[in-house]
Amino acid sequence: MDFSTGQCILLHDKDNTLTALLSLDAGQEIALKTARGIVKLTLRDEIPYAHKFARHDIEAGEDIIKYGEVIGSATSFIPAGAHVHVHNVKGKRA
């Protein structure tokens, strides 16, 4: 189930990450249509095209989920709207 606003996409309802569909600016407000309605989120970081950002707060050690699958774990606390990438994720695949 994909939900998109043109700014980002939620690839699976289990995901705790969203994927940018274009480069996004820090401070930008994102509106995402989900099965539960519209969710608004303010970005904490600049998010490059096709990179992930936190859908909601992610605690250190918590699984990072994309495509409904665990792809890594958070190496530190990641607040909602923050960039999720190699600086705060340890991979669990391959």
Side-chain angles (χ1 to χ4, degrees):
M1 136 180 28
D2 295 357
F3 293 100
S4 172
T5 60
Q7 298 169 311
C8 64
I9 190 166
L10 172 63
L11 297 168
H12 192 284
D13 194 47
K14 290 182 183 178
D15 293 356
N16 57 10
T17 60
L18 299 168
T19 302
L21 295 176
L22 50 118
S23 293
L24 302 169
D25 296 321
Q28 186 173 346
E29 186 174 85
I30 299 299
L32 179 72
K33 182 179 178 182
T34 71
R36 296 182 187 103
I38 300 292
V39 175
K40 292 186 179 180
L41 176 67
T42 301
L43 297 177
R44 293 178 173 263
D45 303 310
E46 181 178 315
I47 311 297
Y49 165 73
H51 280 232
K52 298 176 297 302
F53 58 97
R55 180 178 174 189
H56 52 75
D57 290 347
I58 301 171
E59 297 297 328
E62 188 176 338
D63 287 339
I64 302 297
I65 304 171
K66 185 174 179 180
Y67 312 112
E69 299 291 328
V70 174
I71 62 167
S73 63
T75 58
S76 60
F77 173 74
I78 306 171
H83 192 197
V84 176
H85 201 54
V86 297
H87 66 285
N88 55 12
V89 176
K90 178 181 177 185
K92 285 189 172 182
R93 301 187 75 150

